[in-house]
Amino acid sequence: MRWIALLLAAGLAQAEPTVPNAAWSQAWLDQAYLPRHAALTQSADALASASKAFCETPTPVQLDNVKQDWLITSQAWRAMDGAPAGPMVLERLGRKIDFRPTRPDDIEAAIQGSEINNAATRGLPAMEYLLWGNAQPKLQLAKLKQPERCAYLSKIAAQIASDAHVLDQPWSVYRSELAAENAFFRENLLSEHINLLLSSMSSLQKRMPTAEGVKPEQFIEWRSGSSQAQWLAQWDGMNLALQAVLQRLRDDGASPIANKVQQDIAQVNKNCRNLPTHLAQSTASARLACSKSVATLKAIIEDQIGEQFDLTLGFTEGDGD
């Protein structure tokens, strides 16, 4: 597999890390990664089907169905992005399915030419624009009754499903490699996955602007009004992957570190879960408290978990895409 060769050449870990055994490694994948992939592919398939049905019968009810499936799929993607790993990184799935910022002019031009090879004219952000416009949802039904526009919507949805399913086999191969006689993938498991978690935490902070007077357009998914739900989906994916790390800390006799991380996770939940559905309606102080709690959690992972497991932690915010 191409992605395996790339990962072997990457040299992701420079230190001598803690090496999990095959059973633990595969259990982490089975519990925290593969279910999120399954949720993404299932929701993307439903989105593709709903989009096709809507274009055949473009009614308000059918449009609502597509919007609901888009919300589910987008949150499933955000959960995956909360804790990415080898296959999705090396396939650059984020660029294919979640290219930002949204470029309406490019999308409008693409509708006329039926071109979706440009990353800016495909994926979930492009669908959000077609379904909600620039926060003008009531105007979109009439627009989407135009055959070429609806056909483009359906084509994007089908491409999202196809892109998600590209990872079906790589995830299976990755799982097998974690039990291989050659321990390379297990040796790099903690370093790679925790680095990617840290990168996602940086992304999560960027999704929570903390200044006074921010405009709705500064919040990702402002068109669909789902910025808080999307933020929490990414956080929940991250939190799910962290639970195995906490258990490993306890197994290694580092319960005090695990307990402190668990306390910091609880603080993120306390500060972030009760913000308004539209994050633009939240106060700057509330958003700042949420962002700071994520920063505190990120710091202890970088410092204490990295030291406990003897990991090299040094990915940048751009890694993971």
XYZ file of all heavy atoms in Angstrom, residues 196-295:
765
model
N -0.719 13.911 16.497
C -1.882 14.317 15.714
C -3.005 14.847 16.601
O -3.743 15.760 16.210
C -2.362 13.139 14.862
C -1.417 12.777 13.709
C -1.800 11.432 13.101
C -1.430 13.859 12.643
N -3.149 14.291 17.793
C -4.109 14.841 18.749
C -3.746 16.283 19.110
O -4.617 17.154 19.180
C -4.130 13.986 20.016
C -4.995 12.726 20.003
C -4.665 11.852 21.198
C -6.478 13.091 20.022
N -2.479 16.538 19.335
C -2.037 17.892 19.673
C -2.299 18.855 18.520
O -2.717 20.000 18.727
C -0.554 17.881 20.029
C -0.186 17.167 21.331
C 1.331 17.027 21.455
C -0.747 17.906 22.533
N -2.041 18.390 17.306
C -2.317 19.217 16.138
C -3.801 19.555 16.051
O -4.190 20.684 15.749
C -1.866 18.494 14.866
O -2.175 19.237 13.713
N -4.646 18.570 16.346
C -6.089 18.804 16.300
C -6.528 19.771 17.400
O -7.457 20.563 17.210
C -6.843 17.478 16.439
O -8.226 17.672 16.245
N -5.866 19.718 18.558
C -6.192 20.676 19.622
C -5.887 22.101 19.189
O -6.653 23.031 19.496
C -5.422 20.323 20.892
C -5.950 19.097 21.598
S -5.073 18.744 23.129
C -5.878 17.213 23.595
N -4.791 22.288 18.467
C -4.479 23.616 17.942
C -5.564 24.069 16.974
O -5.989 25.223 16.985
C -3.116 23.601 17.246
O -2.086 23.308 18.160
N -6.026 23.145 16.135
C -7.116 23.450 15.208
C -8.390 23.812 15.962
O -9.113 24.739 15.591
C -7.369 22.248 14.303
O -8.575 22.382 13.584
N -8.660 23.088 17.043
C -9.862 23.341 17.832
C -9.835 24.750 18.433
O -10.860 25.439 18.475
C -9.958 22.294 18.938
C -11.334 22.026 19.546
C -12.310 21.544 18.502
C -11.215 20.991 20.662
N -8.674 25.178 18.880
C -8.558 26.529 19.426
C -8.806 27.588 18.354
O -9.417 28.620 18.621
C -7.180 26.724 20.056
C -6.992 25.945 21.355
C -5.607 26.133 21.933
O -4.660 25.485 21.514
N -5.494 27.042 22.886
N -8.342 27.323 17.130
C -8.569 28.274 16.044
C -10.051 28.400 15.707
O -10.496 29.431 15.203
C -7.786 27.843 14.805
C -6.292 28.071 14.907
C -5.608 27.721 13.598
C -4.138 28.052 13.642
N -3.473 27.739 12.348
N -10.802 27.344 15.972
C -12.237 27.365 15.687
C -13.029 28.111 16.756
O -14.247 28.188 16.676
C -12.753 25.926 15.572
C -12.180 25.155 14.391
C -12.559 23.683 14.460
N -13.992 23.479 14.326
C -14.649 23.402 13.182
N -13.991 23.499 12.041
N -15.941 23.207 13.152
N -12.335 28.635 17.750
C -12.996 29.348 18.847
C -12.356 30.730 19.008
O -11.578 30.975 19.930
C -12.862 28.546 20.140
C -13.656 29.091 21.317
S -15.442 28.924 21.150
C -15.640 27.136 21.292
N -12.667 31.681 18.098
C -12.098 33.026 18.230
C -12.464 33.639 19.586
O -13.581 33.456 20.080
C -12.758 33.804 17.088
C -13.177 32.760 16.108
C -13.528 31.557 16.927
N -11.528 34.349 20.180
C -11.744 34.848 21.543
C -11.858 36.362 21.640
O -12.086 36.887 22.717
C -10.589 34.380 22.455
O -9.346 34.855 21.920
C -10.542 32.860 22.541
N -11.735 37.062 20.522
C -11.770 38.526 20.565
C -13.194 39.033 20.731
O -14.174 38.341 20.423
C -11.155 39.106 19.303
N -13.299 40.257 21.208
C -14.599 40.921 21.272
C -15.036 41.300 19.856
O -14.224 41.573 18.983
C -14.491 42.200 22.113
C -14.175 41.959 23.581
C -15.410 41.611 24.392
O -16.504 41.512 23.791
O -15.280 41.442 25.626
N -16.350 41.315 19.643
C -16.889 41.827 18.389
C -16.598 40.990 17.159
O -16.549 41.528 16.043
N -16.366 39.690 17.322
C -16.124 38.856 16.144
C -17.423 38.719 15.350
O -18.526 38.732 15.905
C -15.590 37.472 16.541
C -14.190 37.581 17.106
C -16.525 36.781 17.516
N -17.291 38.590 14.040
C -18.444 38.480 13.166
C -18.829 37.006 12.987
O -17.979 36.123 13.111
C -18.123 39.100 11.811
C -17.804 40.581 11.875
C -17.453 41.121 10.503
C -17.133 42.605 10.570
N -16.764 43.150 9.235
N -20.092 36.740 12.689
C -20.508 35.350 12.478
C -19.653 34.624 11.443
O -19.383 33.434 11.573
C -21.956 35.494 12.004
C -22.429 36.763 12.632
C -21.231 37.679 12.621
N -19.208 35.362 10.403
C -18.431 34.747 9.333
C -17.077 34.229 9.798
O -16.405 33.486 9.070
C -18.219 35.765 8.202
C -19.489 36.153 7.466
C -20.273 37.246 8.182
O -19.822 37.668 9.277
O -21.324 37.661 7.664
N -16.647 34.612 10.991
C -15.369 34.144 11.504
C -15.466 32.757 12.145
O -14.443 32.178 12.519
C -14.811 35.144 12.529
C -14.386 36.466 11.902
C -13.911 37.474 12.929
O -14.567 38.461 13.220
N -12.747 37.213 13.489
N -16.671 32.250 12.265
C -16.869 30.919 12.831
C -17.116 29.930 11.707
O -17.998 30.142 10.868
C -18.041 30.909 13.809
C -17.798 31.740 15.034
C -18.150 33.074 15.050
C -17.203 31.191 16.158
C -17.922 33.859 16.178
C -16.964 31.962 17.281
C -17.327 33.300 17.298
N -16.335 28.854 11.689
C -16.522 27.832 10.670
C -17.925 27.232 10.824
O -18.438 27.097 11.917
C -15.429 26.757 10.808
C -14.051 27.409 10.621
C -15.623 25.635 9.796
C -12.895 26.467 10.833
N -18.528 26.911 9.689
C -19.915 26.419 9.614
C -20.931 27.490 10.029
O -22.013 27.167 10.514
C -20.123 25.134 10.441
C -19.394 23.922 9.884
C -18.102 23.611 10.619
O -17.911 24.165 11.720
O -17.290 22.825 10.116
N -20.595 28.751 9.824
C -21.546 29.826 10.152
C -22.756 29.785 9.231
O -23.860 30.179 9.640
C -20.856 31.183 10.062
C -20.377 31.561 8.680
C -19.188 31.227 8.104
C -21.093 32.341 7.713
N -19.107 31.742 6.838
C -20.259 32.437 6.569
C -22.335 32.966 7.689
C -20.639 33.130 5.419
C -22.719 33.658 6.553
C -21.872 33.738 5.433
N -22.584 29.308 8.020
C -23.716 29.282 7.090
C -24.836 28.377 7.602
O -26.009 28.727 7.535
C -23.256 28.820 5.704
C -22.390 29.849 4.963
C -21.968 29.342 3.584
N -21.349 30.412 2.825
C -20.054 30.718 2.903
N -19.257 30.022 3.719
N -19.564 31.710 2.178
N -24.462 27.215 8.110
C -25.472 26.262 8.593
C -25.849 26.505 10.041
O -26.751 25.838 10.571
C -24.950 24.834 8.443
O -23.732 24.670 9.166
N -25.170 27.437 10.716
C -25.462 27.719 12.117
C -25.122 26.572 13.047
O -25.725 26.438 14.113
N -24.128 25.767 12.659
C -23.820 24.569 13.452
C -22.426 24.628 14.068
O -21.842 23.587 14.381
C -23.932 23.319 12.571
O -22.973 23.336 11.524
N -21.906 25.821 14.265
C -20.514 25.952 14.711
C -20.257 25.263 16.051
O -19.221 24.613 16.242
C -20.108 27.431 14.790
O -21.037 28.180 15.556
N -21.177 25.376 16.998
C -20.965 24.743 18.306
C -21.052 23.224 18.211
O -20.235 22.501 18.791
C -21.981 25.278 19.315
C -22.070 24.522 20.637
C -20.833 24.667 21.525
O -19.760 25.019 21.051
N -20.985 24.394 22.811
N -22.039 22.722 17.484
C -22.177 21.270 17.326
C -20.948 20.677 16.647
O -20.478 19.590 17.016
C -23.435 20.946 16.521
N -20.407 21.392 15.666
C -19.219 20.912 14.965
C -18.003 20.928 15.888
O -17.182 20.004 15.877
C -18.958 21.785 13.729
C -20.119 21.896 12.760
C -20.318 20.666 11.906
O -19.518 19.751 11.929
N -21.413 20.625 11.159
N -17.886 21.984 16.674
C -16.764 22.088 17.613
C -16.809 20.929 18.607
O -15.789 20.278 18.861
C -16.852 23.424 18.356
C -15.601 23.814 19.081
C -14.636 24.675 18.648
C -15.176 23.377 20.394
N -13.633 24.783 19.584
C -13.939 23.994 20.672
C -15.709 22.512 21.345
C -13.238 23.790 21.861
C -15.014 22.283 22.526
C -13.794 22.928 22.784
N -17.984 20.654 19.128
C -18.114 19.572 20.106
C -17.872 18.201 19.474
O -17.339 17.300 20.126
C -19.501 19.617 20.751
C -19.744 20.780 21.716
C -21.198 20.792 22.176
C -18.799 20.704 22.919
N -18.247 18.036 18.206
C -17.993 16.760 17.540
C -16.492 16.509 17.428
O -16.015 15.386 17.652
C -18.638 16.754 16.155
N -15.738 17.559 17.106
C -14.287 17.405 17.033
C -13.710 17.111 18.415
O -12.842 16.240 18.570
C -13.649 18.668 16.450
C -12.143 18.548 16.263
C -11.569 19.663 15.415
O -12.266 20.259 14.606
N -10.290 19.948 15.598
N -14.192 17.812 19.403
C -13.732 17.575 20.776
C -14.056 16.160 21.235
O -13.232 15.482 21.850
C -14.348 18.607 21.714
C -14.318 18.211 23.157
C -15.380 17.918 23.959
C -13.154 18.045 23.985
N -14.970 17.585 25.213
C -13.598 17.650 25.260
C -11.784 18.181 23.755
C -12.724 17.388 26.317
C -10.906 17.921 24.801
C -11.373 17.537 26.073
N -15.254 15.676 20.936
C -15.650 14.335 21.378
C -14.795 13.259 20.715
O -14.454 12.244 21.348
C -17.128 14.101 21.079
C -18.045 14.864 22.030
O -17.579 15.266 23.115
O -19.229 15.061 21.684
N -14.444 13.443 19.438
C -13.559 12.494 18.784
C -12.193 12.460 19.441
O -11.595 11.392 19.641
N -11.712 13.621 19.794
C -10.432 13.739 20.483
C -10.479 13.077 21.857
O -9.577 12.322 22.243
C -10.126 15.231 20.627
C -8.783 15.608 21.180
S -8.702 17.410 21.328
C -9.109 17.904 19.655
N -11.532 13.353 22.590
C -11.686 12.805 23.938
C -11.770 11.285 23.905
O -11.206 10.589 24.756
C -12.939 13.409 24.578
C -13.064 13.088 26.051
O -12.136 12.599 26.683
N -14.226 13.362 26.612
N -12.467 10.747 22.905
C -12.571 9.292 22.770
C -11.193 8.663 22.615
O -10.863 7.671 23.272
C -13.451 8.945 21.564
C -13.603 7.457 21.235
C -14.293 6.712 22.371
C -14.378 7.276 19.934
N -10.370 9.244 21.760
C -9.032 8.689 21.541
C -8.147 8.840 22.771
O -7.265 8.002 23.020
C -8.382 9.365 20.339
N -8.376 9.879 23.553
C -7.557 10.114 24.747
C -7.791 9.079 25.847
O -6.910 8.856 26.682
C -7.839 11.512 25.315
C -6.995 12.669 24.789
C -7.525 13.983 25.314
C -5.524 12.486 25.173
N -8.960 8.460 25.864
C -9.274 7.559 26.971
C -8.310 6.384 27.052
O -7.932 5.941 28.139
C -10.725 7.073 26.857
C -11.755 8.184 27.004
C -11.526 9.030 28.249
O -11.450 8.514 29.378
N -11.424 10.342 28.065
N -7.886 5.858 25.908
C -6.926 4.757 25.928
C -5.565 5.221 26.433
O -4.849 4.469 27.098
C -6.782 4.160 24.525
N -5.227 6.467 26.148
C -3.969 7.028 26.642
C -4.005 7.118 28.166
O -3.021 6.797 28.853
C -3.703 8.402 26.012
C -2.410 9.011 26.573
C -3.623 8.289 24.489
N -5.138 7.527 28.708
C -5.271 7.617 30.166
C -5.140 6.238 30.806
O -4.494 6.094 31.853
C -6.624 8.234 30.531
C -6.883 9.667 30.064
C -8.207 10.167 30.612
C -5.758 10.589 30.459
N -5.756 5.241 30.191
C -5.650 3.891 30.746
C -4.214 3.398 30.699
O -3.736 2.746 31.635
C -6.559 2.933 29.971
C -6.598 1.526 30.562
C -7.044 1.533 32.015
O -8.094 2.083 32.351
N -6.245 0.932 32.899
N -3.515 3.727 29.633
C -2.115 3.295 29.534
C -1.259 3.995 30.594
O -0.346 3.397 31.152
C -1.563 3.567 28.134
C -0.165 2.986 27.968
C 0.205 2.750 26.530
N 1.441 1.974 26.462
C 1.506 0.666 26.461
N 0.389 -0.044 26.533
N 2.664 0.037 26.411
N -1.546 5.254 30.865
C -0.828 5.941 31.935
C -1.025 5.220 33.259
O -0.065 5.006 34.016
C -1.323 7.384 32.053
C -0.850 8.370 30.985
C -1.655 9.655 31.072
C 0.640 8.673 31.123
N -2.253 4.840 33.552
C -2.533 4.135 34.815
C -1.828 2.773 34.844
O -1.278 2.377 35.870
C -4.041 3.994 35.000
C -4.755 5.339 35.182
C -6.230 5.170 35.512
N -6.848 6.462 35.801
C -7.580 7.151 34.940
N -7.820 6.650 33.729
N -8.083 8.329 35.263
N -1.828 2.079 33.703
C -1.144 0.786 33.632
C 0.352 0.939 33.833
O 1.018 0.017 34.331
C -1.417 0.115 32.289
C -2.873 -0.314 32.121
O -3.593 -0.378 33.141
O -3.289 -0.564 30.974
N 0.888 2.105 33.446
C 2.324 2.367 33.597
C 2.669 2.948 34.961
O 3.807 3.360 35.197
C 2.797 3.344 32.509
C 2.977 2.667 31.155
O 2.727 1.447 31.070
O 3.371 3.352 30.200
N 1.689 3.003 35.867
C 1.946 3.535 37.194
C 1.957 5.040 37.271
O 2.509 5.628 38.214
N 1.346 5.698 36.293
C 1.325 7.168 36.258
C -0.092 7.679 36.467
O -0.548 8.596 35.772
C 1.898 7.679 34.938
N -0.777 7.102 37.455
C -2.160 7.520 37.725
C -2.302 9.008 38.047
O -3.298 9.632 37.652
C -2.750 6.684 38.860
O -2.942 5.357 38.444
N -1.343 9.638 38.768
C -1.489 11.074 39.030
C -1.574 11.905 37.742
O -2.358 12.855 37.663
C -0.230 11.409 39.836
C 0.112 10.130 40.537
C -0.215 9.061 39.540
N -0.789 11.541 36.741
C -0.862 12.260 35.466
C -2.214 12.005 34.802
O -2.868 12.931 34.319
C 0.284 11.840 34.527
C 1.638 12.168 35.144
C 0.145 12.527 33.170
C 2.825 11.686 34.320
N -2.647 10.748 34.797
C -3.940 10.409 34.200
C -5.076 11.157 34.885
O -5.996 11.661 34.228
C -4.173 8.905 34.276
N -5.022 11.240 36.201
C -6.076 11.931 36.945
C -6.087 13.423 36.623
O -7.156 14.035 36.517
C -5.882 11.713 38.443
C -6.097 10.265 38.843
O -6.728 9.492 38.119
N -5.563 9.883 39.997
N -4.890 14.017 36.470
C -4.820 15.445 36.137
C -5.370 15.700 34.736
O -6.119 16.658 34.509
C -3.371 15.929 36.210
C -3.206 17.410 35.869
C -3.973 18.305 36.849
C -3.648 19.775 36.674
N -4.093 20.319 35.369
N -5.042 14.815 33.796
C -5.583 14.951 32.441
C -7.105 14.815 32.465
O -7.822 15.578 31.804
C -4.966 13.901 31.495
C -5.655 13.931 30.127
C -3.475 14.156 31.322
N -7.613 13.863 33.251
C -9.055 13.685 33.345
C -9.723 14.932 33.926
O -10.808 15.340 33.477
C -9.377 12.470 34.216
C -10.815 11.981 34.083
C -11.109 11.392 32.716
O -10.524 10.392 32.317
N -12.012 12.025 31.988
N -9.090 15.553 34.896
C -9.618 16.805 35.455
C -9.643 17.914 34.405
O -10.598 18.688 34.323
C -8.771 17.232 36.652
C -8.905 16.335 37.873
C -7.881 16.655 38.943
O -7.164 17.663 38.856
N -7.784 15.804 39.959
N -8.593 17.972 33.592
C -8.540 18.998 32.546
C -9.592 18.740 31.468
O -10.169 19.686 30.913
C -7.144 19.047 31.927
C -6.109 19.627 32.874
O -6.509 20.275 33.862
O -4.900 19.441 32.631
N -9.838 17.472 31.168
C -10.909 17.129 30.229
C -12.261 17.587 30.780
O -13.091 18.160 30.054
C -10.913 15.609 29.960
C -9.710 15.214 29.115
C -12.215 15.176 29.276
C -9.531 13.712 28.945
N -12.481 17.348 32.062
C -13.733 17.779 32.695
C -13.884 19.294 32.626
O -14.998 19.819 32.450
C -13.773 17.297 34.145
N -12.772 20.011 32.745
C -12.829 21.468 32.687
C -13.183 21.953 31.285
O -13.935 22.926 31.119
C -11.484 22.069 33.113
C -11.538 23.554 33.417
C -12.451 23.879 34.594
O -12.452 23.182 35.603
N -13.237 24.939 34.469
N -12.670 21.275 30.263
C -13.059 21.619 28.894
C -14.559 21.417 28.717
O -15.272 22.274 28.170
C -12.282 20.774 27.867
C -12.812 21.032 26.453
C -10.785 21.084 27.928
N -15.071 20.281 29.196
C -16.513 20.028 29.098
C -17.314 21.106 29.805
O -18.330 21.591 29.300
C -16.839 18.653 29.687
C -16.456 17.515 28.767
O -16.586 17.624 27.549
N -15.969 16.422 29.327
N -16.863 21.502 30.992
C -17.571 22.512 31.766
C -17.586 23.856 31.049
O -18.619 24.544 31.002
C -16.920 22.664 33.140
C -17.556 23.737 34.018
C -16.840 23.844 35.357
C -17.446 24.961 36.225
N -16.740 25.083 37.521
N -16.459 24.244 30.467
C -16.336 25.570 29.872
C -16.875 25.664 28.454
O -17.192 26.767 27.989
C -14.865 26.010 29.856
C -14.330 26.305 31.242
O -15.087 26.501 32.187
N -13.014 26.327 31.370
N -16.989 24.536 27.769
C -17.284 24.589 26.338
C -18.650 24.037 25.936
O -19.178 24.416 24.889
C -16.201 23.849 25.561
S -14.518 24.459 25.853
N -19.227 23.149 26.734
C -20.449 22.472 26.290
C -21.693 23.359 26.336
O -22.652 23.098 25.612
C -20.693 21.205 27.112
C -19.767 20.075 26.732
C -20.308 18.712 27.104
N -19.395 17.670 26.675
C -19.355 17.162 25.442
N -20.207 17.601 24.534
N -18.495 16.224 25.126
N -21.691 24.379 27.152
C -22.905 25.174 27.318
C -22.898 26.468 26.514
O -23.749 27.339 26.735
C -23.122 25.488 28.799
C -23.450 24.236 29.604
O -24.129 23.334 29.116
N -22.947 24.170 30.830
N -21.972 26.606 25.584
C -21.971 27.786 24.724
C -23.156 27.712 23.758
O -23.659 26.628 23.462
C -20.655 27.865 23.949
C -19.400 28.094 24.798
C -18.153 28.026 23.929
C -19.466 29.417 25.542
N -23.610 28.855 23.223
C -24.771 28.847 22.322
C -24.513 28.035 21.050
O -23.362 27.864 20.627
C -24.957 30.334 21.986
C -24.272 31.078 23.077
C -23.124 30.219 23.504
N -25.599 27.567 20.446
C -25.497 26.817 19.192
C -24.748 27.612 18.144
O -23.908 27.077 17.416
C -26.900 26.456 18.675
O -27.570 25.670 19.666
C -26.816 25.674 17.378
N -25.062 28.909 18.048
C -24.327 29.816 17.182
C -23.229 30.459 18.031
O -23.511 31.304 18.884
C -25.245 30.904 16.612
C -26.335 30.370 15.729
N -26.209 30.326 14.356
C -27.552 29.864 16.019
C -27.319 29.805 13.838
N -28.146 29.519 14.834
N -22.000 30.053 17.832
C -20.913 30.547 18.680
C -20.762 32.056 18.610
O -20.258 32.680 19.549
C -19.602 29.864 18.295
C -19.475 28.394 18.696
C -18.150 27.822 18.208
C -19.595 28.231 20.211
N -21.193 32.665 17.518
C -21.112 34.123 17.410
C -21.967 34.824 18.454
O -21.757 36.001 18.754
C -21.528 34.580 16.006
N -22.921 34.107 19.029
C -23.789 34.691 20.052
C -23.210 34.553 21.458
O -23.791 35.045 22.423
C -25.163 34.022 19.994
C -25.893 34.221 18.675
C -27.176 33.408 18.578
O -27.514 32.652 19.495
N -27.883 33.542 17.466
N -22.067 33.904 21.567
C -21.446 33.733 22.883
C -20.608 34.950 23.242
O -20.222 35.743 22.379
C -20.560 32.486 22.880
O -19.547 32.591 21.906
N -20.324 35.107 24.516
C -19.499 36.225 24.955
C -18.025 35.894 24.745
O -17.616 34.726 24.725
C -19.729 36.524 26.441
O -19.277 35.393 27.225
C -21.204 36.801 26.722
N -17.224 36.945 24.602
C -15.793 36.740 24.429
C -15.187 36.055 25.645
O -14.293 35.205 25.515
C -15.103 38.085 24.174
N -15.658 36.394 26.829
C -15.109 35.789 28.038
C -15.410 34.298 28.098
O -14.562 33.495 28.531
C -15.661 36.489 29.284
O -17.071 36.376 29.348
N -16.589 33.898 27.656
C -16.940 32.476 27.661
C -16.095 31.714 26.648
O -15.611 30.611 26.925
C -18.424 32.305 27.347
N -15.893 32.306 25.486
C -15.065 31.653 24.474
C -13.614 31.573 24.926
O -12.914 30.591 24.665
C -15.184 32.389 23.147
C -16.486 32.098 22.413
C -16.573 32.803 21.069
N -17.218 34.109 21.198
C -16.624 35.273 21.045
N -15.325 35.314 20.773
N -17.291 36.398 21.158
N -13.150 32.608 25.613
C -11.775 32.611 26.112
C -11.579 31.522 27.161
O -10.554 30.820 27.167
C -11.430 33.974 26.697
C -10.012 34.138 27.252
C -8.983 33.899 26.147
C -9.838 35.526 27.864
N -12.547 31.355 28.047
C -12.455 30.312 29.070
C -12.391 28.933 28.421
O -11.623 28.064 28.849
C -13.643 30.400 30.022
N -13.174 28.733 27.390
C -13.164 27.459 26.664
C -11.798 27.230 26.023
O -11.186 26.167 26.175
C -14.263 27.460 25.610
S -14.286 26.004 24.544
N -11.306 28.235 25.325
C -10.021 28.108 24.637
C -8.876 27.862 25.615
O -7.986 27.037 25.359
C -9.749 29.370 23.816
O -8.543 29.267 23.104
N -8.892 28.552 26.743
C -7.836 28.380 27.740
C -7.847 26.975 28.329
O -6.791 26.404 28.620
C -7.984 29.423 28.849
C -7.484 30.814 28.467
C -7.550 31.749 29.656
C -6.912 33.104 29.337
N -6.966 34.024 30.498
N -9.020 26.403 28.509
C -9.083 25.057 29.065
C -8.506 24.040 28.092
O -7.866 23.061 28.507
C -10.522 24.700 29.456
O -11.382 24.728 28.338
N -8.704 24.263 26.788
C -8.088 23.391 25.790
C -6.571 23.557 25.815
O -5.817 22.577 25.735
C -8.643 23.689 24.380
C -7.897 22.861 23.326
C -10.133 23.386 24.307
N -6.108 24.802 25.953
C -4.668 25.061 26.007
C -4.028 24.382 27.221
O -2.911 23.851 27.136
C -4.412 26.566 26.042
